[in-house]
Amino acid sequence: MGQGALVHAGGKIYHTSRVQAIYEQTEESIHFETLNSEYHLSMRPFPLAAISPLPVRLAACA
């Protein structure tokens, strides 16, 4: 927490504002809140995409 999340959707990469809370993180979905928004992301059909291969604590690709 404390850094922005990266979200890959529709062929574009989005960087969110700073993550304030992570409410749920599973292999299939993630629910978190930033300074500006609340996100509910489904990782289907890529269930392991919620796990970041980067040193950043939270990175989601869908």
Side-chain angles (χ1 to χ4, degrees):
M1 289 190 297
Q3 296 182 11
L6 299 174
V7 179
H8 181 256
K12 296 182 180 181
I13 296 177
Y14 300 91
H15 187 262
T16 70
S17 60
R18 199 175 290 205
V19 174
Q20 298 299 300
I22 300 171
Y23 299 116
E24 180 180 21
Q25 183 175 0
T26 68
E27 290 183 358
E28 293 185 1
S29 67
I30 189 161
H31 174 202
F32 64 96
E33 183 176 359
T34 67
L35 290 171
N36 303 317
S37 303
E38 190 168 329
Y39 293 83
H40 297 263
L41 303 175
S42 173
M43 303 304 152
R44 291 184 191 130
F46 306 105
L48 296 178
I51 301 170
S52 173
L54 304 173
V56 176
R57 177 74 177 123
L58 172 66
C61 300

Short mmCIF file of all heavy atoms in Angstrom, two decimals:
data_model
loop_
_atom_site.label_atom_id
_atom_site.label_comp_id
_atom_site.label_asym_id
_atom_site.label_seq_id
_atom_site.Cartn_x
_atom_site.Cartn_y
_atom_site.Cartn_z
N MET A 1 0.84 -1.18 0.00
CA MET A 1 0.00 0.00 0.00
C MET A 1 0.88 1.23 0.00
O MET A 1 2.05 1.17 0.31
CB MET A 1 -0.92 -0.01 1.21
CG MET A 1 -2.02 -1.05 1.10
SD MET A 1 -3.29 -0.94 2.34
CE MET A 1 -2.37 -1.23 3.81
N GLY A 2 0.29 2.35 -0.35
CA GLY A 2 1.04 3.58 -0.37
C GLY A 2 1.53 3.98 -1.75
O GLY A 2 1.95 5.10 -1.94
N GLN A 3 1.48 3.06 -2.71
CA GLN A 3 1.86 3.36 -4.08
C GLN A 3 0.64 3.16 -4.97
O GLN A 3 -0.33 2.52 -4.58
CB GLN A 3 2.98 2.44 -4.55
CG GLN A 3 4.26 2.61 -3.77
CD GLN A 3 5.36 1.72 -4.29
OE1 GLN A 3 5.26 1.11 -5.35
NE2 GLN A 3 6.43 1.61 -3.54
N GLY A 4 0.70 3.66 -6.18
CA GLY A 4 -0.38 3.47 -7.12
C GLY A 4 -0.37 2.05 -7.68
O GLY A 4 0.66 1.39 -7.68
N ALA A 5 -1.53 1.60 -8.15
CA ALA A 5 -1.63 0.29 -8.80
C ALA A 5 -1.53 0.47 -10.30
O ALA A 5 -1.87 1.53 -10.84
CB ALA A 5 -2.96 -0.36 -8.44
N LEU A 6 -1.06 -0.55 -10.99
CA LEU A 6 -1.04 -0.57 -12.44
C LEU A 6 -2.13 -1.52 -12.91
O LEU A 6 -2.19 -2.66 -12.45
CB LEU A 6 0.32 -1.05 -12.97
CG LEU A 6 1.52 -0.19 -12.59
CD1 LEU A 6 2.80 -0.86 -13.06
CD2 LEU A 6 1.38 1.20 -13.17
N VAL A 7 -2.97 -1.05 -13.82
CA VAL A 7 -4.07 -1.85 -14.34
C VAL A 7 -3.95 -1.89 -15.85
O VAL A 7 -3.91 -0.84 -16.49
CB VAL A 7 -5.44 -1.26 -13.92
CG1 VAL A 7 -6.57 -2.09 -14.50
CG2 VAL A 7 -5.56 -1.16 -12.41
N HIS A 8 -3.88 -3.08 -16.43
CA HIS A 8 -3.83 -3.24 -17.88
C HIS A 8 -5.20 -3.70 -18.35
O HIS A 8 -5.66 -4.76 -17.97
CB HIS A 8 -2.76 -4.26 -18.26
CG HIS A 8 -2.62 -4.45 -19.73
ND1 HIS A 8 -3.13 -5.54 -20.38
CD2 HIS A 8 -2.05 -3.67 -20.68
CE1 HIS A 8 -2.86 -5.42 -21.67
NE2 HIS A 8 -2.20 -4.30 -21.88
N ALA A 9 -5.86 -2.86 -19.14
CA ALA A 9 -7.20 -3.18 -19.63
C ALA A 9 -7.41 -2.56 -21.00
O ALA A 9 -7.03 -1.41 -21.23
CB ALA A 9 -8.26 -2.66 -18.66
N GLY A 10 -7.99 -3.32 -21.89
CA GLY A 10 -8.28 -2.79 -23.22
C GLY A 10 -7.05 -2.36 -23.98
O GLY A 10 -7.11 -1.43 -24.78
N GLY A 11 -5.91 -3.01 -23.72
CA GLY A 11 -4.69 -2.67 -24.42
C GLY A 11 -3.98 -1.44 -23.87
O GLY A 11 -2.97 -1.00 -24.43
N LYS A 12 -4.48 -0.85 -22.80
CA LYS A 12 -3.87 0.33 -22.20
C LYS A 12 -3.46 0.02 -20.77
O LYS A 12 -4.00 -0.86 -20.13
CB LYS A 12 -4.86 1.49 -22.20
CG LYS A 12 -5.25 1.96 -23.58
CD LYS A 12 -6.17 3.13 -23.50
CE LYS A 12 -6.55 3.58 -24.91
NZ LYS A 12 -7.44 4.74 -24.87
N ILE A 13 -2.48 0.76 -20.28
CA ILE A 13 -2.04 0.63 -18.89
C ILE A 13 -2.46 1.89 -18.15
O ILE A 13 -2.18 3.00 -18.58
CB ILE A 13 -0.52 0.43 -18.80
CG1 ILE A 13 -0.13 -0.88 -19.47
CG2 ILE A 13 -0.07 0.44 -17.34
CD1 ILE A 13 1.36 -1.15 -19.51
N TYR A 14 -3.14 1.68 -17.02
CA TYR A 14 -3.61 2.78 -16.19
C TYR A 14 -2.86 2.75 -14.86
O TYR A 14 -2.61 1.69 -14.30
CB TYR A 14 -5.11 2.63 -15.92
CG TYR A 14 -5.94 2.63 -17.18
CD1 TYR A 14 -6.24 1.43 -17.83
CD2 TYR A 14 -6.40 3.82 -17.74
CE1 TYR A 14 -6.99 1.42 -19.00
CE2 TYR A 14 -7.16 3.82 -18.90
CZ TYR A 14 -7.44 2.61 -19.53
OH TYR A 14 -8.18 2.61 -20.67
N HIS A 15 -2.52 3.92 -14.36
CA HIS A 15 -1.86 4.05 -13.07
C HIS A 15 -2.83 4.76 -12.14
O HIS A 15 -3.26 5.88 -12.42
CB HIS A 15 -0.57 4.86 -13.21
CG HIS A 15 0.24 4.90 -11.97
ND1 HIS A 15 0.19 5.95 -11.09
CD2 HIS A 15 1.10 4.01 -11.44
CE1 HIS A 15 1.00 5.72 -10.08
NE2 HIS A 15 1.56 4.54 -10.27
N THR A 16 -3.20 4.11 -11.04
CA THR A 16 -4.15 4.71 -10.12
C THR A 16 -3.44 5.66 -9.16
O THR A 16 -2.22 5.67 -9.07
CB THR A 16 -4.87 3.62 -9.28
OG1 THR A 16 -3.94 3.06 -8.35
CG2 THR A 16 -5.48 2.54 -10.15
N SER A 17 -4.23 6.40 -8.42
CA SER A 17 -3.66 7.18 -7.33
C SER A 17 -3.24 6.21 -6.23
O SER A 17 -3.44 5.00 -6.32
CB SER A 17 -4.68 8.20 -6.82
OG SER A 17 -5.84 7.56 -6.35
N ARG A 18 -2.68 6.72 -5.19
CA ARG A 18 -2.12 5.91 -4.10
C ARG A 18 -3.15 4.97 -3.46
O ARG A 18 -4.25 5.39 -3.13
CB ARG A 18 -1.57 6.85 -3.05
CG ARG A 18 -0.58 6.24 -2.12
CD ARG A 18 -0.02 7.29 -1.22
NE ARG A 18 0.84 8.17 -2.04
CZ ARG A 18 1.83 8.86 -1.56
NH1 ARG A 18 2.08 8.84 -0.28
NH2 ARG A 18 2.58 9.59 -2.36
N VAL A 19 -2.79 3.71 -3.31
CA VAL A 19 -3.67 2.72 -2.70
C VAL A 19 -3.73 2.97 -1.20
O VAL A 19 -2.70 3.08 -0.53
CB VAL A 19 -3.18 1.27 -2.99
CG1 VAL A 19 -4.02 0.26 -2.23
CG2 VAL A 19 -3.23 1.00 -4.49
N GLN A 20 -4.96 3.07 -0.69
CA GLN A 20 -5.17 3.31 0.74
C GLN A 20 -5.53 2.04 1.50
O GLN A 20 -5.17 1.91 2.67
CB GLN A 20 -6.30 4.35 0.92
CG GLN A 20 -5.99 5.69 0.31
CD GLN A 20 -4.75 6.31 0.94
OE1 GLN A 20 -4.72 6.57 2.14
NE2 GLN A 20 -3.73 6.55 0.13
N ALA A 21 -6.26 1.12 0.85
CA ALA A 21 -6.68 -0.11 1.53
C ALA A 21 -6.89 -1.21 0.50
O ALA A 21 -7.37 -0.96 -0.60
CB ALA A 21 -7.97 0.11 2.31
N ILE A 22 -6.53 -2.43 0.86
CA ILE A 22 -6.82 -3.62 0.06
C ILE A 22 -7.81 -4.44 0.88
O ILE A 22 -7.50 -4.89 1.97
CB ILE A 22 -5.56 -4.44 -0.22
CG1 ILE A 22 -4.55 -3.60 -0.99
CG2 ILE A 22 -5.91 -5.71 -1.01
CD1 ILE A 22 -3.19 -4.24 -1.13
N TYR A 23 -9.03 -4.58 0.35
CA TYR A 23 -10.09 -5.27 1.09
C TYR A 23 -10.11 -6.77 0.82
O TYR A 23 -10.43 -7.54 1.71
CB TYR A 23 -11.45 -4.66 0.74
CG TYR A 23 -11.53 -3.20 1.11
CD1 TYR A 23 -11.69 -2.22 0.13
CD2 TYR A 23 -11.40 -2.79 2.42
CE1 TYR A 23 -11.76 -0.89 0.46
CE2 TYR A 23 -11.47 -1.44 2.77
CZ TYR A 23 -11.65 -0.50 1.78
OH TYR A 23 -11.70 0.83 2.11
N GLU A 24 -9.78 -7.15 -0.41
CA GLU A 24 -9.76 -8.57 -0.75
C GLU A 24 -8.84 -8.77 -1.93
O GLU A 24 -8.85 -7.99 -2.88
CB GLU A 24 -11.17 -9.04 -1.11
CG GLU A 24 -11.26 -10.51 -1.48
CD GLU A 24 -12.67 -10.95 -1.83
OE1 GLU A 24 -13.51 -10.10 -2.17
OE2 GLU A 24 -12.91 -12.15 -1.74
N GLN A 25 -8.03 -9.82 -1.89
CA GLN A 25 -7.15 -10.16 -3.00
C GLN A 25 -7.09 -11.67 -3.09
O GLN A 25 -6.60 -12.33 -2.19
CB GLN A 25 -5.74 -9.58 -2.79
CG GLN A 25 -4.81 -9.85 -3.96
CD GLN A 25 -3.46 -9.17 -3.78
OE1 GLN A 25 -3.20 -8.51 -2.80
NE2 GLN A 25 -2.60 -9.37 -4.76
N THR A 26 -7.64 -12.22 -4.18
CA THR A 26 -7.62 -13.66 -4.43
C THR A 26 -6.96 -13.87 -5.78
O THR A 26 -6.59 -12.92 -6.47
CB THR A 26 -9.04 -14.26 -4.44
OG1 THR A 26 -9.74 -13.77 -5.60
CG2 THR A 26 -9.81 -13.91 -3.17
N GLU A 27 -6.87 -15.13 -6.20
CA GLU A 27 -6.31 -15.42 -7.52
C GLU A 27 -7.25 -14.94 -8.63
O GLU A 27 -6.81 -14.77 -9.76
CB GLU A 27 -6.05 -16.91 -7.67
CG GLU A 27 -4.91 -17.40 -6.82
CD GLU A 27 -4.63 -18.87 -7.04
OE1 GLU A 27 -5.34 -19.52 -7.82
OE2 GLU A 27 -3.69 -19.38 -6.41
N GLU A 28 -8.52 -14.73 -8.34
CA GLU A 28 -9.50 -14.37 -9.37
C GLU A 28 -9.99 -12.93 -9.31
O GLU A 28 -10.57 -12.45 -10.27
CB GLU A 28 -10.69 -15.31 -9.28
CG GLU A 28 -10.33 -16.73 -9.65
CD GLU A 28 -11.54 -17.64 -9.70
OE1 GLU A 28 -12.66 -17.16 -9.47
OE2 GLU A 28 -11.35 -18.82 -9.98
N SER A 29 -9.77 -12.24 -8.20
CA SER A 29 -10.28 -10.87 -8.12
C SER A 29 -9.50 -10.06 -7.09
O SER A 29 -8.75 -10.60 -6.28
CB SER A 29 -11.77 -10.87 -7.74
OG SER A 29 -11.94 -11.36 -6.44
N ILE A 30 -9.72 -8.76 -7.17
CA ILE A 30 -9.11 -7.86 -6.19
C ILE A 30 -10.06 -6.71 -5.94
O ILE A 30 -10.75 -6.24 -6.86
CB ILE A 30 -7.72 -7.38 -6.65
CG1 ILE A 30 -7.03 -6.64 -5.54
CG2 ILE A 30 -7.80 -6.56 -7.92
CD1 ILE A 30 -5.54 -6.51 -5.71
N HIS A 31 -10.13 -6.26 -4.71
CA HIS A 31 -10.97 -5.14 -4.30
C HIS A 31 -10.09 -4.22 -3.47
O HIS A 31 -9.58 -4.63 -2.42
CB HIS A 31 -12.16 -5.68 -3.50
CG HIS A 31 -13.02 -4.60 -2.91
ND1 HIS A 31 -13.83 -4.84 -1.85
CD2 HIS A 31 -13.19 -3.29 -3.22
CE1 HIS A 31 -14.47 -3.73 -1.52
NE2 HIS A 31 -14.09 -2.78 -2.34
N PHE A 32 -9.88 -2.99 -3.95
CA PHE A 32 -9.03 -2.05 -3.23
C PHE A 32 -9.53 -0.64 -3.41
O PHE A 32 -10.33 -0.35 -4.30
CB PHE A 32 -7.56 -2.18 -3.67
CG PHE A 32 -7.28 -1.82 -5.10
CD1 PHE A 32 -6.86 -0.56 -5.45
CD2 PHE A 32 -7.42 -2.77 -6.10
CE1 PHE A 32 -6.57 -0.23 -6.77
CE2 PHE A 32 -7.13 -2.46 -7.43
CZ PHE A 32 -6.72 -1.18 -7.76
N GLU A 33 -9.05 0.24 -2.54
CA GLU A 33 -9.46 1.64 -2.58
C GLU A 33 -8.22 2.52 -2.70
O GLU A 33 -7.20 2.28 -2.06
CB GLU A 33 -10.21 1.98 -1.29
CG GLU A 33 -10.75 3.39 -1.26
CD GLU A 33 -11.58 3.65 -0.02
OE1 GLU A 33 -11.77 2.73 0.81
OE2 GLU A 33 -12.04 4.78 0.13
N THR A 34 -8.33 3.53 -3.56
CA THR A 34 -7.26 4.51 -3.72
C THR A 34 -7.72 5.83 -3.11
O THR A 34 -8.80 5.93 -2.55
CB THR A 34 -6.91 4.72 -5.21
OG1 THR A 34 -8.02 5.34 -5.87
CG2 THR A 34 -6.56 3.41 -5.89
N LEU A 35 -6.91 6.85 -3.25
CA LEU A 35 -7.30 8.17 -2.76
C LEU A 35 -8.57 8.67 -3.44
O LEU A 35 -9.33 9.43 -2.84
CB LEU A 35 -6.17 9.18 -3.01
CG LEU A 35 -4.91 9.02 -2.17
CD1 LEU A 35 -3.82 9.94 -2.70
CD2 LEU A 35 -5.21 9.32 -0.72
N ASN A 36 -8.80 8.25 -4.69
CA ASN A 36 -9.90 8.80 -5.48
C ASN A 36 -11.03 7.83 -5.81
O ASN A 36 -12.12 8.27 -6.11
CB ASN A 36 -9.37 9.34 -6.82
CG ASN A 36 -8.30 10.37 -6.63
OD1 ASN A 36 -8.42 11.25 -5.78
ND2 ASN A 36 -7.23 10.27 -7.39
N SER A 37 -10.76 6.52 -5.78
CA SER A 37 -11.74 5.55 -6.29
C SER A 37 -11.68 4.24 -5.53
O SER A 37 -10.71 3.96 -4.83
CB SER A 37 -11.47 5.25 -7.77
OG SER A 37 -11.49 6.43 -8.53
N GLU A 38 -12.72 3.44 -5.71
CA GLU A 38 -12.74 2.08 -5.19
C GLU A 38 -12.81 1.15 -6.38
O GLU A 38 -13.62 1.35 -7.30
CB GLU A 38 -13.95 1.89 -4.29
CG GLU A 38 -13.92 0.59 -3.52
CD GLU A 38 -14.95 0.54 -2.42
OE1 GLU A 38 -15.30 1.60 -1.84
OE2 GLU A 38 -15.41 -0.58 -2.13
N TYR A 39 -11.96 0.12 -6.42
CA TYR A 39 -11.85 -0.79 -7.55
C TYR A 39 -12.27 -2.21 -7.16
O TYR A 39 -11.89 -2.69 -6.11
CB TYR A 39 -10.41 -0.85 -8.06
CG TYR A 39 -9.92 0.44 -8.68
CD1 TYR A 39 -9.44 1.48 -7.90
CD2 TYR A 39 -9.95 0.61 -10.06
CE1 TYR A 39 -8.99 2.66 -8.46
CE2 TYR A 39 -9.51 1.79 -10.63
CZ TYR A 39 -9.03 2.81 -9.83
OH TYR A 39 -8.58 3.98 -10.40
N HIS A 40 -13.05 -2.83 -8.04
CA HIS A 40 -13.41 -4.25 -7.96
C HIS A 40 -13.00 -4.84 -9.30
O HIS A 40 -13.68 -4.60 -10.30
CB HIS A 40 -14.92 -4.44 -7.77
CG HIS A 40 -15.45 -3.87 -6.51
ND1 HIS A 40 -15.64 -4.63 -5.38
CD2 HIS A 40 -15.82 -2.60 -6.18
CE1 HIS A 40 -16.13 -3.86 -4.43
NE2 HIS A 40 -16.23 -2.63 -4.88
N LEU A 41 -11.88 -5.56 -9.37
CA LEU A 41 -11.36 -6.06 -10.64
C LEU A 41 -11.42 -7.58 -10.68
O LEU A 41 -11.01 -8.25 -9.73
CB LEU A 41 -9.91 -5.61 -10.83
CG LEU A 41 -9.66 -4.11 -10.81
CD1 LEU A 41 -8.17 -3.83 -10.90
CD2 LEU A 41 -10.42 -3.41 -11.91
N SER A 42 -11.92 -8.11 -11.79
CA SER A 42 -11.93 -9.54 -12.02
C SER A 42 -10.74 -9.89 -12.88
O SER A 42 -10.46 -9.21 -13.86
CB SER A 42 -13.22 -9.95 -12.74
OG SER A 42 -13.17 -11.30 -13.11
N MET A 43 -10.04 -10.95 -12.54
CA MET A 43 -8.86 -11.34 -13.27
C MET A 43 -9.14 -12.43 -14.30
O MET A 43 -8.22 -12.95 -14.90
CB MET A 43 -7.77 -11.83 -12.31
CG MET A 43 -7.40 -10.83 -11.26
SD MET A 43 -6.87 -9.28 -11.99
CE MET A 43 -7.32 -8.16 -10.70
N ARG A 44 -10.37 -12.79 -14.49
CA ARG A 44 -10.72 -13.82 -15.45
C ARG A 44 -10.44 -13.33 -16.86
O ARG A 44 -10.78 -12.18 -17.15
CB ARG A 44 -12.19 -14.20 -15.32
CG ARG A 44 -12.44 -14.93 -14.03
CD ARG A 44 -13.87 -15.40 -13.93
NE ARG A 44 -14.11 -15.86 -12.58
CZ ARG A 44 -15.12 -15.49 -11.85
NH1 ARG A 44 -16.01 -14.67 -12.32
NH2 ARG A 44 -15.26 -15.94 -10.63
N PRO A 45 -9.89 -14.03 -17.74
CA PRO A 45 -9.50 -15.44 -17.68
C PRO A 45 -8.06 -15.64 -17.23
O PRO A 45 -7.48 -16.69 -17.47
CB PRO A 45 -9.68 -15.91 -19.10
CG PRO A 45 -9.29 -14.72 -19.92
CD PRO A 45 -9.76 -13.52 -19.09
N PHE A 46 -7.44 -14.65 -16.58
CA PHE A 46 -6.05 -14.75 -16.14
C PHE A 46 -5.99 -14.67 -14.62
O PHE A 46 -5.63 -13.65 -14.06
CB PHE A 46 -5.22 -13.62 -16.76
CG PHE A 46 -5.32 -13.56 -18.25
CD1 PHE A 46 -6.08 -12.58 -18.86
CD2 PHE A 46 -4.69 -14.50 -19.03
CE1 PHE A 46 -6.18 -12.53 -20.24
CE2 PHE A 46 -4.79 -14.46 -20.41
CZ PHE A 46 -5.54 -13.48 -21.02
N PRO A 47 -6.30 -15.75 -13.93
CA PRO A 47 -6.46 -15.69 -12.47
C PRO A 47 -5.23 -15.29 -11.68
O PRO A 47 -5.35 -14.72 -10.62
CB PRO A 47 -6.90 -17.11 -12.10
CG PRO A 47 -6.48 -17.96 -13.24
CD PRO A 47 -6.52 -17.08 -14.45
N LEU A 48 -4.05 -15.51 -12.17
CA LEU A 48 -2.85 -15.15 -11.40
C LEU A 48 -2.39 -13.72 -11.67
O LEU A 48 -1.38 -13.29 -11.13
CB LEU A 48 -1.72 -16.14 -11.66
CG LEU A 48 -2.01 -17.57 -11.20
CD1 LEU A 48 -0.85 -18.49 -11.56
CD2 LEU A 48 -2.28 -17.62 -9.71
N ALA A 49 -3.13 -13.00 -12.49
CA ALA A 49 -2.73 -11.64 -12.84
C ALA A 49 -2.78 -10.68 -11.65
O ALA A 49 -2.16 -9.64 -11.67
CB ALA A 49 -3.61 -11.10 -13.97
N ALA A 50 -3.50 -11.03 -10.58
CA ALA A 50 -3.57 -10.16 -9.42
C ALA A 50 -2.30 -10.21 -8.59
O ALA A 50 -2.10 -9.41 -7.71
CB ALA A 50 -4.76 -10.54 -8.55
N ILE A 51 -1.43 -11.15 -8.87
CA ILE A 51 -0.18 -11.28 -8.12
C ILE A 51 0.91 -10.57 -8.91
O ILE A 51 1.18 -10.91 -10.05
CB ILE A 51 0.17 -12.76 -7.90
CG1 ILE A 51 -0.96 -13.43 -7.12
CG2 ILE A 51 1.50 -12.89 -7.19
CD1 ILE A 51 -0.82 -14.92 -7.05
N SER A 52 1.53 -9.60 -8.31
CA SER A 52 2.50 -8.78 -9.01
C SER A 52 3.87 -9.46 -9.12
O SER A 52 4.41 -9.90 -8.12
CB SER A 52 2.68 -7.46 -8.28
OG SER A 52 3.74 -6.74 -8.86
N PRO A 53 4.43 -9.54 -10.32
CA PRO A 53 5.80 -10.02 -10.46
C PRO A 53 6.81 -8.90 -10.17
O PRO A 53 8.00 -9.13 -10.17
CB PRO A 53 5.88 -10.45 -11.92
CG PRO A 53 4.93 -9.52 -12.61
CD PRO A 53 3.81 -9.27 -11.60
N LEU A 54 6.33 -7.69 -9.93
CA LEU A 54 7.18 -6.53 -9.70
C LEU A 54 7.34 -6.28 -8.21
O LEU A 54 6.56 -6.76 -7.40
CB LEU A 54 6.52 -5.30 -10.35
CG LEU A 54 6.20 -5.43 -11.84
CD1 LEU A 54 5.42 -4.24 -12.32
CD2 LEU A 54 7.49 -5.58 -12.63
N PRO A 55 8.33 -5.50 -7.81
CA PRO A 55 8.50 -5.20 -6.40
C PRO A 55 7.36 -4.39 -5.82
O PRO A 55 7.23 -4.25 -4.64
CB PRO A 55 9.81 -4.44 -6.35
CG PRO A 55 10.25 -4.22 -7.73
CD PRO A 55 9.37 -4.99 -8.65
N VAL A 56 6.52 -3.81 -6.67
CA VAL A 56 5.37 -3.04 -6.21
C VAL A 56 4.42 -3.99 -5.49
O VAL A 56 4.17 -5.10 -5.97
CB VAL A 56 4.65 -2.38 -7.42
CG1 VAL A 56 3.39 -1.66 -6.97
CG2 VAL A 56 5.60 -1.44 -8.14
N ARG A 57 3.88 -3.60 -4.36
CA ARG A 57 3.03 -4.48 -3.56
C ARG A 57 1.75 -4.84 -4.29
O ARG A 57 1.23 -5.93 -4.14
CB ARG A 57 2.70 -3.80 -2.22
CG ARG A 57 1.78 -4.57 -1.35
CD ARG A 57 2.51 -5.75 -0.73
NE ARG A 57 1.58 -6.43 0.16
CZ ARG A 57 1.27 -7.71 0.04
NH1 ARG A 57 1.80 -8.45 -0.88
NH2 ARG A 57 0.43 -8.27 0.88
N LEU A 58 1.21 -3.96 -5.12
CA LEU A 58 -0.05 -4.23 -5.80
C LEU A 58 0.07 -3.84 -7.26
O LEU A 58 0.37 -2.70 -7.58
CB LEU A 58 -1.18 -3.43 -5.14
CG LEU A 58 -2.51 -3.45 -5.83
CD1 LEU A 58 -3.09 -4.87 -5.78
CD2 LEU A 58 -3.46 -2.49 -5.17
N ALA A 59 -0.14 -4.75 -8.14
CA ALA A 59 -0.23 -4.49 -9.57
C ALA A 59 -1.23 -5.47 -10.13
O ALA A 59 -1.15 -6.65 -9.87
CB ALA A 59 1.12 -4.65 -10.26
N ALA A 60 -2.20 -4.98 -10.85
CA ALA A 60 -3.23 -5.85 -11.39
C ALA A 60 -3.29 -5.68 -12.90
O ALA A 60 -3.23 -4.57 -13.41
CB ALA A 60 -4.57 -5.53 -10.77
N CYS A 61 -3.42 -6.75 -13.61
CA CYS A 61 -3.56 -6.71 -15.06
C CYS A 61 -4.80 -7.51 -15.41
O CYS A 61 -5.02 -8.60 -14.89
CB CYS A 61 -2.36 -7.35 -15.75
SG CYS A 61 -0.82 -6.53 -15.36
N ALA A 62 -5.59 -6.97 -16.28
CA ALA A 62 -6.81 -7.68 -16.69
C ALA A 62 -7.09 -7.40 -18.15
O ALA A 62 -6.69 -6.45 -18.69
CB ALA A 62 -7.99 -7.26 -15.84
#
